[in-house]
Amino acid sequence: MTWSRHGGAAMWVAIGGVLRFWNLDVMEFKGDEREALNLARDLLSRAPFTAGWPPAHGMISSNYVHNAPLFTWIIALFWAMVPNPEFVASCIAALNTACLVPLWTWARRTLDDRRALLIVAAAAASPFAVLFSRKIWAQDLLFPALVTLLWAVYWLRNGRLWIGIALGGVGGLAVGQLHQSGMIALPLLAVVVCVQLLRDHRRGQRVLEPGASRLAIAAAIVVVLINAFFWFPYLRYLLTLSSQSVLQARPVEDSYAPVLLTKLVLQLVPVDLQSFFLFDRGEFQSTFLRWGVFRLSWLLGLPVCAYGVWRWLRAPGRIAVFGYWWWVVVGAFAVLRIKTQFFYTLILAPLPYVLVGGGFDPPRHRLSGWLHAVRWIYVCNLALLAAVTIGWLSDRGGAAGDYGVSYRVRKQQAEAIVAAASGATLADHAPLPAALRCGEPGPDVMWLVEWLDPRAVPGAAALSLCDDWTPVDDDLRYQWRLQKSAGPRR
Protein backbone atom coordinates (compact mmCIF):
# COMPACT_ATOMS: atom_id res chain seq x y z
CA MET A 1 0.00 0.00 0.00
CA THR A 2 2.86 2.40 0.80
CA TRP A 3 4.35 1.91 -2.67
CA SER A 4 0.97 2.56 -4.29
CA ARG A 5 0.60 5.75 -2.26
CA HIS A 6 4.08 6.86 -3.36
CA GLY A 7 3.10 6.13 -6.95
CA GLY A 8 -0.10 8.10 -6.52
CA ALA A 9 1.80 11.05 -5.06
CA ALA A 10 4.29 10.95 -7.94
CA MET A 11 1.39 10.95 -10.40
CA TRP A 12 -0.17 14.02 -8.81
CA VAL A 13 3.16 15.84 -8.68
CA ALA A 14 3.48 15.11 -12.42
CA ILE A 15 -0.07 16.38 -13.02
CA GLY A 16 0.77 19.53 -11.06
CA GLY A 17 3.86 20.04 -13.20
CA VAL A 18 1.94 19.58 -16.44
CA LEU A 19 -0.70 22.11 -15.38
CA ARG A 20 1.94 24.65 -14.39
CA PHE A 21 4.05 24.31 -17.55
CA TRP A 22 1.34 23.70 -20.14
CA ASN A 23 0.89 26.82 -22.29
CA LEU A 24 3.20 28.69 -19.92
CA ASP A 25 3.52 31.54 -22.43
CA VAL A 26 -0.16 32.29 -21.84
CA MET A 27 0.93 33.76 -18.48
CA GLU A 28 0.00 37.26 -17.39
CA PHE A 29 2.34 40.03 -18.46
CA LYS A 30 1.48 43.53 -17.27
CA GLY A 31 2.94 46.33 -15.18
CA ASP A 32 4.01 44.29 -12.14
CA GLU A 33 5.80 41.69 -14.24
CA ARG A 34 7.58 44.39 -16.26
CA GLU A 35 8.63 46.22 -13.12
CA ALA A 36 9.98 43.05 -11.51
CA LEU A 37 12.11 42.40 -14.59
CA ASN A 38 13.23 46.03 -14.77
CA LEU A 39 14.39 45.99 -11.16
CA ALA A 40 16.23 42.71 -11.71
CA ARG A 41 17.97 44.00 -14.83
CA ASP A 42 18.91 47.20 -13.03
CA LEU A 43 20.40 45.19 -10.16
CA LEU A 44 22.48 43.12 -12.57
CA SER A 45 23.75 46.28 -14.26
CA ARG A 46 25.12 47.75 -11.01
CA ALA A 47 28.58 47.00 -9.72
CA PRO A 48 28.68 45.65 -6.14
CA PHE A 49 29.27 48.17 -3.35
CA THR A 50 28.40 51.15 -5.52
CA ALA A 51 25.53 53.62 -5.13
CA GLY A 52 22.19 51.84 -5.00
CA TRP A 53 23.73 48.44 -4.20
CA PRO A 54 22.35 46.48 -2.51
CA PRO A 55 18.82 47.75 -3.25
CA ALA A 56 16.93 48.77 -0.13
CA HIS A 57 13.52 47.81 -1.50
CA GLY A 58 11.61 46.37 -4.43
CA MET A 59 8.57 47.59 -6.32
CA ILE A 60 5.93 49.75 -4.68
CA SER A 61 2.82 48.12 -3.23
CA SER A 62 -0.83 49.11 -3.35
CA ASN A 63 -0.50 50.83 0.05
CA TYR A 64 2.30 53.05 -1.33
CA VAL A 65 5.04 51.34 0.69
CA HIS A 66 7.77 49.62 -1.30
CA ASN A 67 8.09 45.87 -0.93
CA ALA A 68 11.25 44.21 0.34
CA PRO A 69 14.10 43.54 -2.13
CA LEU A 70 14.36 39.73 -1.97
CA PHE A 71 12.17 39.10 -5.03
CA THR A 72 14.37 41.42 -7.10
CA TRP A 73 17.40 39.29 -6.23
CA ILE A 74 15.56 36.07 -7.08
CA ILE A 75 14.44 37.36 -10.47
CA ALA A 76 17.93 38.74 -11.11
CA LEU A 77 19.34 35.26 -10.49
CA PHE A 78 16.94 33.68 -12.98
CA TRP A 79 17.52 36.45 -15.53
CA ALA A 80 21.30 36.08 -15.22
CA MET A 81 20.91 32.39 -16.08
CA VAL A 82 18.72 32.94 -19.16
CA PRO A 83 17.50 36.48 -19.97
CA ASN A 84 14.02 35.49 -21.06
CA PRO A 85 10.69 36.18 -19.32
CA GLU A 86 9.43 32.67 -20.12
CA PHE A 87 12.48 31.13 -18.48
CA VAL A 88 11.96 33.25 -15.38
CA ALA A 89 8.33 32.13 -15.18
CA SER A 90 9.39 28.52 -15.75
CA CYS A 91 11.75 28.72 -12.76
CA ILE A 92 8.85 29.90 -10.60
CA ALA A 93 6.66 27.10 -11.95
CA ALA A 94 9.44 24.57 -11.30
CA LEU A 95 9.83 25.67 -7.68
CA ASN A 96 6.09 25.41 -7.08
CA THR A 97 6.01 21.96 -8.65
CA ALA A 98 9.07 20.72 -6.76
CA CYS A 99 7.70 21.80 -3.37
CA LEU A 100 4.79 19.37 -3.80
CA VAL A 101 7.25 16.60 -2.84
CA PRO A 102 8.21 18.00 0.60
CA LEU A 103 4.54 18.84 1.15
CA TRP A 104 3.70 15.16 0.59
CA THR A 105 6.40 13.93 2.98
CA TRP A 106 5.43 16.49 5.64
CA ALA A 107 1.76 15.49 5.42
CA ARG A 108 2.68 11.79 5.70
CA ARG A 109 4.68 12.40 8.87
CA THR A 110 2.15 14.79 10.36
CA LEU A 111 -1.05 12.93 9.39
CA ASP A 112 -1.20 9.67 7.42
CA ASP A 113 -0.72 8.42 3.85
CA ARG A 114 -4.41 8.53 3.02
CA ARG A 115 -4.87 12.20 3.83
CA ALA A 116 -1.40 13.17 2.65
CA LEU A 117 -2.22 11.93 -0.84
CA LEU A 118 -5.38 14.05 -0.94
CA ILE A 119 -3.48 17.11 0.29
CA VAL A 120 -0.78 16.88 -2.36
CA ALA A 121 -3.41 16.17 -5.03
CA ALA A 122 -5.41 19.25 -4.03
CA ALA A 123 -2.26 21.40 -4.08
CA ALA A 124 -1.31 20.04 -7.50
CA ALA A 125 -4.76 20.43 -9.06
CA SER A 126 -6.14 23.64 -7.58
CA PRO A 127 -6.74 26.17 -10.40
CA PHE A 128 -5.97 28.93 -7.91
CA ALA A 129 -2.61 27.35 -7.04
CA VAL A 130 -1.82 26.63 -10.68
CA LEU A 131 -2.48 30.17 -11.91
CA PHE A 132 -0.42 31.56 -9.01
CA SER A 133 2.51 29.33 -9.95
CA ARG A 134 3.14 30.52 -13.47
CA LYS A 135 3.85 34.22 -13.62
CA ILE A 136 6.55 36.66 -12.56
CA TRP A 137 4.99 37.75 -9.30
CA ALA A 138 6.45 37.71 -5.79
CA GLN A 139 3.38 36.05 -4.27
CA ASP A 140 3.85 33.08 -6.59
CA LEU A 141 6.82 32.03 -4.43
CA LEU A 142 4.97 32.11 -1.12
CA PHE A 143 3.92 28.46 -1.39
CA PRO A 144 7.50 27.08 -1.52
CA ALA A 145 8.46 29.44 1.31
CA LEU A 146 5.59 28.29 3.51
CA VAL A 147 6.34 24.62 2.85
CA THR A 148 9.86 25.37 4.09
CA LEU A 149 8.35 26.75 7.30
CA LEU A 150 6.32 23.56 7.74
CA TRP A 151 9.56 21.60 7.84
CA ALA A 152 11.28 24.17 10.05
CA VAL A 153 8.64 23.75 12.73
CA TYR A 154 8.67 19.98 12.29
CA TRP A 155 12.40 19.75 12.98
CA LEU A 156 12.22 22.25 15.85
CA ARG A 157 9.65 20.04 17.55
CA ASN A 158 11.65 16.89 16.90
CA GLY A 159 14.92 17.86 18.54
CA ARG A 160 16.78 19.19 15.48
CA LEU A 161 17.18 22.75 16.68
CA TRP A 162 19.82 23.98 14.25
CA ILE A 163 18.19 22.47 11.18
CA GLY A 164 14.92 24.04 12.29
CA ILE A 165 16.60 27.43 12.71
CA ALA A 166 18.24 27.20 9.28
CA LEU A 167 15.00 26.23 7.53
CA GLY A 168 13.04 28.77 9.56
CA GLY A 169 15.49 31.48 8.55
CA VAL A 170 15.14 30.64 4.86
CA GLY A 171 11.37 30.29 4.94
CA GLY A 172 10.90 33.28 7.21
CA LEU A 173 13.05 35.51 5.02
CA ALA A 174 11.05 34.54 1.95
CA VAL A 175 7.61 34.85 3.58
CA GLY A 176 8.50 38.17 5.22
CA GLN A 177 9.95 39.75 2.09
CA LEU A 178 7.79 38.35 -0.70
CA HIS A 179 4.58 39.97 0.57
CA GLN A 180 3.82 42.49 3.28
CA SER A 181 1.25 40.18 4.85
CA GLY A 182 4.22 38.01 5.79
CA MET A 183 5.57 40.76 8.02
CA ILE A 184 2.36 40.48 10.03
CA ALA A 185 2.12 36.70 9.96
CA LEU A 186 5.74 35.87 10.87
CA PRO A 187 5.84 37.44 14.37
CA LEU A 188 2.57 35.68 15.13
CA LEU A 189 4.09 32.37 14.01
CA ALA A 190 7.09 32.97 16.26
CA VAL A 191 4.78 33.43 19.24
CA VAL A 192 2.78 30.28 18.47
CA VAL A 193 6.00 28.26 17.97
CA CYS A 194 7.40 29.44 21.31
CA VAL A 195 4.18 28.49 23.08
CA GLN A 196 4.22 25.05 21.43
CA LEU A 197 7.89 24.43 22.29
CA LEU A 198 7.20 25.39 25.90
CA ARG A 199 4.32 22.91 26.01
CA ASP A 200 6.53 20.25 24.42
CA HIS A 201 9.22 20.88 27.02
CA ARG A 202 6.76 20.52 29.89
CA ARG A 203 5.65 17.20 28.42
CA GLY A 204 9.23 16.00 28.43
CA GLN A 205 9.75 16.25 24.68
CA ARG A 206 13.35 17.04 23.72
CA VAL A 207 13.79 20.42 22.10
CA LEU A 208 17.55 21.01 22.16
CA GLU A 209 19.59 18.76 19.92
CA PRO A 210 22.48 17.03 21.72
CA GLY A 211 25.68 16.84 19.71
CA ALA A 212 24.45 18.91 16.76
CA SER A 213 26.63 18.62 13.67
CA ARG A 214 28.93 21.48 12.77
CA LEU A 215 27.32 21.59 9.33
CA ALA A 216 23.87 22.25 10.81
CA ILE A 217 25.24 24.98 13.08
CA ALA A 218 27.17 26.56 10.20
CA ALA A 219 24.07 26.50 8.00
CA ALA A 220 22.07 28.28 10.70
CA ILE A 221 24.77 30.94 11.07
CA VAL A 222 24.94 31.51 7.30
CA VAL A 223 21.15 31.87 7.14
CA VAL A 224 21.22 34.45 9.93
CA LEU A 225 23.84 36.47 8.04
CA ILE A 226 21.79 36.26 4.82
CA ASN A 227 18.77 37.54 6.71
CA ALA A 228 20.81 40.47 8.00
CA PHE A 229 21.93 41.28 4.44
CA PHE A 230 18.35 41.51 3.20
CA TRP A 231 16.60 42.93 6.24
CA PHE A 232 18.93 45.75 7.36
CA PRO A 233 18.62 47.84 4.15
CA TYR A 234 14.86 47.34 4.06
CA LEU A 235 14.40 48.22 7.73
CA ARG A 236 16.45 51.39 7.18
CA TYR A 237 14.08 52.26 4.34
CA LEU A 238 11.02 51.63 6.52
CA LEU A 239 12.43 53.91 9.23
CA THR A 240 12.48 56.79 6.74
CA LEU A 241 8.70 56.58 6.35
CA SER A 242 6.23 58.56 8.39
CA SER A 243 4.11 56.09 10.33
CA GLN A 244 1.22 58.56 10.38
CA SER A 245 1.18 59.03 6.60
CA VAL A 246 1.53 55.29 6.02
CA LEU A 247 -1.41 54.53 8.29
CA GLN A 248 -3.52 57.24 6.67
CA ALA A 249 -2.78 55.91 3.18
CA ARG A 250 -3.40 52.29 4.16
CA PRO A 251 -6.63 50.97 2.61
CA VAL A 252 -8.85 49.27 5.20
CA GLU A 253 -11.96 47.13 5.24
CA ASP A 254 -15.26 48.71 6.29
CA SER A 255 -15.72 46.31 9.21
CA TYR A 256 -13.90 43.84 11.45
CA ALA A 257 -15.31 40.86 9.59
CA PRO A 258 -12.93 37.93 8.89
CA VAL A 259 -12.59 38.75 5.18
CA LEU A 260 -9.51 36.56 4.81
CA LEU A 261 -11.58 33.55 5.90
CA THR A 262 -14.28 34.52 3.40
CA LYS A 263 -11.68 34.68 0.63
CA LEU A 264 -10.41 31.25 1.66
CA VAL A 265 -13.91 29.82 1.34
CA LEU A 266 -14.41 31.50 -2.05
CA GLN A 267 -11.12 30.01 -3.23
CA LEU A 268 -12.25 26.49 -2.33
CA VAL A 269 -15.76 26.79 -3.73
CA PRO A 270 -14.07 28.10 -6.16
CA VAL A 271 -15.89 31.32 -7.05
CA ASP A 272 -12.73 33.42 -6.70
CA LEU A 273 -11.24 31.69 -9.73
CA GLN A 274 -13.33 34.13 -11.76
CA SER A 275 -11.47 37.05 -10.17
CA PHE A 276 -8.78 36.43 -12.80
CA PHE A 277 -11.29 37.18 -15.56
CA LEU A 278 -14.13 38.99 -13.84
CA PHE A 279 -15.43 40.72 -16.98
CA ASP A 280 -15.38 37.51 -19.01
CA ARG A 281 -16.97 35.09 -16.54
CA GLY A 282 -20.06 34.83 -18.73
CA GLU A 283 -17.97 33.83 -21.74
CA PHE A 284 -16.05 31.32 -19.61
CA GLN A 285 -19.29 29.49 -18.81
CA SER A 286 -20.68 29.75 -22.33
CA THR A 287 -19.87 26.10 -23.20
CA PHE A 288 -21.37 23.07 -21.49
CA LEU A 289 -17.96 21.63 -20.56
CA ARG A 290 -16.66 24.73 -18.79
CA TRP A 291 -20.06 25.45 -17.23
CA GLY A 292 -20.44 21.88 -16.02
CA VAL A 293 -16.91 21.58 -14.60
CA PHE A 294 -17.20 24.91 -12.78
CA ARG A 295 -20.68 24.12 -11.39
CA LEU A 296 -19.59 20.68 -10.20
CA SER A 297 -16.61 22.26 -8.42
CA TRP A 298 -19.02 24.67 -6.78
CA LEU A 299 -21.48 21.96 -5.72
CA LEU A 300 -18.76 19.70 -4.31
CA GLY A 301 -16.68 22.54 -2.92
CA LEU A 302 -19.43 23.79 -0.63
CA PRO A 303 -19.68 20.66 1.57
CA VAL A 304 -15.95 19.90 1.36
CA CYS A 305 -15.08 23.43 2.45
CA ALA A 306 -17.78 23.68 5.13
CA TYR A 307 -16.81 20.37 6.71
CA GLY A 308 -13.10 21.18 6.55
CA VAL A 309 -13.51 24.59 8.21
CA TRP A 310 -15.80 23.08 10.88
CA ARG A 311 -13.21 20.43 11.75
CA TRP A 312 -10.47 23.08 11.77
CA LEU A 313 -12.52 25.20 14.16
CA ARG A 314 -13.21 22.25 16.47
CA ALA A 315 -9.70 20.81 16.61
CA PRO A 316 -6.95 23.15 15.34
CA GLY A 317 -4.44 21.30 17.48
CA ARG A 318 -4.55 18.26 15.21
CA ILE A 319 -1.88 20.07 13.21
CA ALA A 320 0.44 21.50 15.83
CA VAL A 321 1.40 25.19 15.56
CA PHE A 322 -0.07 25.83 12.12
CA GLY A 323 -3.62 24.86 13.04
CA TYR A 324 -3.59 27.71 15.57
CA TRP A 325 -1.40 30.08 13.57
CA TRP A 326 -3.76 30.11 10.61
CA TRP A 327 -6.63 31.17 12.88
CA VAL A 328 -4.43 33.83 14.49
CA VAL A 329 -3.57 35.25 11.04
CA VAL A 330 -7.26 35.34 10.08
CA GLY A 331 -8.01 37.14 13.35
CA ALA A 332 -5.15 39.62 12.90
CA PHE A 333 -6.39 40.55 9.42
CA ALA A 334 -9.86 41.15 10.85
CA VAL A 335 -8.70 43.21 13.85
CA LEU A 336 -6.38 45.33 11.70
CA ARG A 337 -9.08 45.64 9.02
CA ILE A 338 -6.53 44.82 6.33
CA LYS A 339 -7.93 45.39 2.85
CA THR A 340 -7.90 41.81 1.62
CA GLN A 341 -7.48 40.94 -2.04
CA PHE A 342 -8.42 37.47 -3.25
CA PHE A 343 -4.77 36.43 -3.56
CA TYR A 344 -3.99 37.26 0.10
CA THR A 345 -5.05 33.70 0.93
CA LEU A 346 -1.63 32.67 -0.39
CA ILE A 347 -0.22 33.57 3.03
CA LEU A 348 -2.33 30.71 4.46
CA ALA A 349 -0.89 28.01 2.17
CA PRO A 350 -1.11 25.06 2.40
CA LEU A 351 -4.25 25.46 4.53
CA PRO A 352 -6.73 25.21 1.60
CA TYR A 353 -5.31 21.84 0.60
CA VAL A 354 -5.15 20.64 4.21
CA LEU A 355 -8.86 21.42 4.57
CA VAL A 356 -9.65 19.52 1.37
CA GLY A 357 -7.53 16.58 2.48
CA GLY A 358 -9.18 16.29 5.88
CA GLY A 359 -6.13 17.40 7.82
CA PHE A 360 -8.22 18.24 10.88
CA ASP A 361 -10.44 15.16 10.73
CA PRO A 362 -10.23 12.54 13.46
CA PRO A 363 -8.30 9.48 12.20
CA ARG A 364 -11.47 7.48 11.54
CA HIS A 365 -15.14 8.40 11.82
CA ARG A 366 -18.41 7.25 10.35
CA LEU A 367 -18.33 9.80 7.52
CA SER A 368 -14.81 8.86 6.41
CA GLY A 369 -15.72 6.61 3.49
CA TRP A 370 -18.20 8.70 1.55
CA LEU A 371 -16.50 12.00 2.46
CA HIS A 372 -13.19 10.66 1.15
CA ALA A 373 -14.90 9.73 -2.12
CA VAL A 374 -16.52 13.18 -2.44
CA ARG A 375 -13.16 14.82 -1.82
CA TRP A 376 -11.49 12.78 -4.52
CA ILE A 377 -14.20 13.62 -7.05
CA TYR A 378 -13.80 17.28 -6.10
CA VAL A 379 -10.00 17.19 -6.52
CA CYS A 380 -10.17 15.41 -9.88
CA ASN A 381 -12.72 17.96 -11.03
CA LEU A 382 -10.39 20.77 -9.90
CA ALA A 383 -7.66 19.36 -12.14
CA LEU A 384 -10.08 19.36 -15.07
CA LEU A 385 -11.19 22.90 -14.20
CA ALA A 386 -7.57 24.09 -14.17
CA ALA A 387 -6.97 22.45 -17.56
CA VAL A 388 -10.03 23.92 -19.27
CA THR A 389 -9.26 27.34 -17.78
CA ILE A 390 -5.73 27.38 -19.19
CA GLY A 391 -6.99 26.07 -22.54
CA TRP A 392 -9.66 28.77 -22.67
CA LEU A 393 -7.14 31.51 -21.85
CA SER A 394 -4.81 30.13 -24.53
CA ASP A 395 -7.49 30.04 -27.24
CA ARG A 396 -8.73 33.58 -26.71
CA GLY A 397 -5.42 35.33 -25.95
CA GLY A 398 -5.97 36.00 -22.24
CA ALA A 399 -8.93 37.71 -20.62
CA ALA A 400 -10.26 41.20 -20.11
CA GLY A 401 -9.76 42.57 -16.62
CA ASP A 402 -7.18 41.47 -14.07
CA TYR A 403 -5.61 38.73 -16.21
CA GLY A 404 -5.11 40.87 -19.30
CA VAL A 405 -3.72 39.98 -22.71
CA SER A 406 -1.38 37.01 -22.50
CA TYR A 407 2.40 37.17 -22.77
CA ARG A 408 2.25 35.02 -25.91
CA VAL A 409 0.17 37.62 -27.77
CA ARG A 410 2.22 40.54 -26.50
CA LYS A 411 5.40 38.82 -27.69
CA GLN A 412 3.85 38.18 -31.11
CA GLN A 413 3.03 41.90 -31.35
CA ALA A 414 6.57 42.83 -30.32
CA GLU A 415 8.04 40.43 -32.88
CA ALA A 416 5.85 41.98 -35.59
CA ILE A 417 7.13 45.45 -34.67
CA VAL A 418 10.75 44.25 -34.72
CA ALA A 419 10.18 42.64 -38.13
CA ALA A 420 8.56 45.82 -39.50
CA ALA A 421 11.43 47.93 -38.17
CA SER A 422 13.91 45.69 -40.00
CA GLY A 423 12.13 46.29 -43.31
CA ALA A 424 9.60 43.46 -43.44
CA THR A 425 6.37 44.31 -45.27
CA LEU A 426 3.27 44.42 -43.11
CA ALA A 427 0.75 41.76 -44.08
CA ASP A 428 -2.02 42.94 -46.36
CA HIS A 429 -5.26 42.41 -44.48
CA ALA A 430 -8.90 43.02 -45.23
CA PRO A 431 -10.40 46.24 -43.83
CA LEU A 432 -10.25 46.45 -40.06
CA PRO A 433 -13.33 45.43 -38.10
CA ALA A 434 -15.07 48.49 -36.73
CA ALA A 435 -14.62 47.16 -33.19
CA LEU A 436 -10.81 47.43 -33.28
CA ARG A 437 -9.28 50.61 -31.94
CA CYS A 438 -5.93 51.84 -33.18
CA GLY A 439 -3.19 53.56 -31.23
CA GLU A 440 0.45 53.39 -30.30
CA PRO A 441 1.71 50.06 -28.91
CA GLY A 442 1.34 49.88 -25.14
CA PRO A 443 4.13 49.65 -22.55
CA ASP A 444 3.91 45.84 -22.30
CA VAL A 445 4.58 45.49 -26.02
CA MET A 446 7.29 48.13 -26.08
CA TRP A 447 9.13 46.51 -23.19
CA LEU A 448 9.29 43.30 -25.20
CA VAL A 449 10.38 45.21 -28.31
CA GLU A 450 13.25 46.74 -26.37
CA TRP A 451 14.19 43.32 -25.01
CA LEU A 452 14.07 41.64 -28.42
CA ASP A 453 15.86 44.38 -30.36
CA PRO A 454 16.45 47.88 -28.91
CA ARG A 455 17.09 49.18 -32.43
CA ALA A 456 13.45 48.60 -33.30
CA VAL A 457 12.10 50.96 -30.62
CA PRO A 458 12.31 54.20 -32.70
CA GLY A 459 10.57 52.52 -35.63
CA ALA A 460 7.56 51.70 -33.50
CA ALA A 461 6.55 55.37 -33.58
CA ALA A 462 5.48 54.91 -37.21
CA LEU A 463 3.22 51.96 -36.37
CA SER A 464 -0.23 51.61 -34.86
CA LEU A 465 -1.54 48.62 -32.98
CA CYS A 466 -5.23 48.04 -33.61
CA ASP A 467 -6.78 45.70 -31.05
CA ASP A 468 -9.80 44.86 -28.92
CA TRP A 469 -11.88 41.98 -27.59
CA THR A 470 -14.35 41.05 -30.32
CA PRO A 471 -17.07 38.38 -30.66
CA VAL A 472 -15.86 35.22 -32.43
CA ASP A 473 -17.76 31.90 -32.33
CA ASP A 474 -19.96 32.80 -29.34
CA ASP A 475 -16.99 34.03 -27.31
CA LEU A 476 -14.87 37.15 -27.02
CA ARG A 477 -11.37 36.83 -28.43
CA TYR A 478 -8.51 39.26 -28.47
CA GLN A 479 -7.80 40.36 -32.04
CA TRP A 480 -5.08 42.69 -33.19
CA ARG A 481 -3.53 44.14 -36.31
CA LEU A 482 -0.31 46.09 -36.84
CA GLN A 483 -0.39 48.84 -39.45
CA LYS A 484 1.33 52.04 -40.38
CA SER A 485 0.18 55.02 -38.41
CA ALA A 486 -2.44 57.17 -40.08
CA GLY A 487 -4.29 59.96 -38.40
CA PRO A 488 -4.30 61.00 -34.73
CA ARG A 489 -3.48 58.59 -31.97
CA ARG A 490 -6.36 57.35 -29.88
Side-chain angles (χ1 to χ4, degrees), residues 370-444:
W370 76 266
L371 185 59
H372 198 68
V374 169
R375 284 168 168 163
W376 271 117
I377 297 171
Y378 168 72
V379 167
C380 292
N381 195 70
L382 284 185
L384 182 56
L385 179 59
V388 299
T389 300
I390 295 170
W392 176 72
L393 291 169
S394 175
D395 290 343
R396 69 200 309 272
D402 188 65
Y403 196 93
V405 178
S406 70
Y407 169 83
R408 176 194 293 169
V409 173
R410 291 305 191 199
K411 187 181 178 185
Q412 290 171 350
Q413 294 169 344
E415 289 170 341
I417 291 173
V418 170
S422 63
T425 304
L426 293 175
D428 185 19
H429 293 286
L432 289 172
L436 296 188
R437 299 174 297 167
C438 298
E440 61 187 62
D444 304 329

Side-chain angles (χ1 to χ4, degrees), residues 110-438:
T110 305
L111 301 167
D112 53 57
D113 284 5
R114 190 168 181 255
R115 289 181 287 176
L117 187 58
L118 254 176
I119 289 171
V120 75
S126 165
F128 193 90
V130 168
L131 290 175
F132 276 118
S133 298
R134 38 185 289 139
K135 65 175 180 172
I136 306 169
W137 223 36
Q139 292 89 325
D140 283 34
L141 290 174
L142 279 175
F143 183 39
L146 288 160
V147 170
T148 305
L149 286 181
L150 293 178
W151 277 102
V153 173
Y154 176 84
W155 289 121
L156 282 173
R157 296 191 65 235
N158 284 273
R160 307 297 293 275
L161 176 66
W162 294 103
I163 293 178
I165 290 175
L167 290 175
V170 172
L173 172 65
V175 170
Q177 293 225 344
L178 289 174
H179 193 251
Q180 291 177 11
S181 61
M183 298 181 67
I184 298 171
L186 274 181
L188 300 176
L189 177 61
V191 172
V192 178
V193 168
C194 289
V195 171
Q196 183 65 55
L197 292 179
L198 181 61
R199 293 179 63 187
D200 292 344
H201 178 70
R202 288 177 176 175
R203 294 171 183 170
Q205 186 172 334
R206 187 178 67 211
V207 176
L208 295 177
E209 176 184 358
S213 70
R214 292 182 179 179
L215 181 61
I217 296 174
I221 293 173
V222 169
V223 168
V224 170
L225 294 175
I226 292 173
N227 270 265
F229 176 81
F230 284 105
W231 279 114
F232 284 166
Y234 188 58
L235 291 176
R236 285 201 303 268
Y237 157 73
L238 292 179
L239 290 174
T240 64
L241 303 178
S242 167
S243 58
Q244 183 177 359
S245 62
V246 169
L247 291 175
Q248 289 176 347
R250 181 176 75 92
V252 296
E253 295 288 352
D254 296 331
S255 69
Y256 294 96
V259 180
L260 186 61
L261 180 62
T262 303
K263 297 294 184 182
L264 175 68
V265 171
L266 293 177
Q267 175 188 335
L268 291 172
V269 172
V271 173
D272 256 4
L273 171 64
Q274 299 188 19
S275 298
F276 290 96
F277 41 85
L278 195 60
F279 299 109
D280 291 342
R281 59 188 184 275
E283 283 73 22
F284 176 75
Q285 298 186 53
S286 62
T287 67
F288 180 76
L289 175 61
R290 292 195 297 267
W291 177 86
V293 171
F294 178 78
R295 291 298 173 182
L296 184 57
S297 298
W298 181 77
L299 289 172
L300 295 174
L302 282 174
V304 167
C305 175
Y307 188 80
V309 172
W310 178 60
R311 284 295 186 183
W312 174 35
L313 181 62
R314 290 193 62 187
R318 287 207 171 99
I319 296 181
V321 177
F322 291 95
Y324 293 104
W325 178 57
W326 289 322
W327 276 122
V328 172
V329 172
V330 169
F333 268 64
V335 170
L336 297 175
R337 295 169 58 199
I338 295 174
K339 192 71 174 178
T340 306
Q341 305 295 333
F342 73 102
F343 57 85
Y344 281 24
T345 55
L346 293 169
I347 195 63
L348 297 176
L351 174 60
Y353 324 122
V354 170
L355 295 178
V356 172
F360 296 99
D361 290 4
R364 291 287 179 182
H365 54 95
R366 62 182 181 177
L367 299 178
S368 293
W370 76 266
L371 185 59
H372 198 68
V374 169
R375 284 168 168 163
W376 271 117
I377 297 171
Y378 168 72
V379 167
C380 292
N381 195 70
L382 284 185
L384 182 56
L385 179 59
V388 299
T389 300
I390 295 170
W392 176 72
L393 291 169
S394 175
D395 290 343
R396 69 200 309 272
D402 188 65
Y403 196 93
V405 178
S406 70
Y407 169 83
R408 176 194 293 169
V409 173
R410 291 305 191 199
K411 187 181 178 185
Q412 290 171 350
Q413 294 169 344
E415 289 170 341
I417 291 173
V418 170
S422 63
T425 304
L426 293 175
D428 185 19
H429 293 286
L432 289 172
L436 296 188
R437 299 174 297 167
C438 298

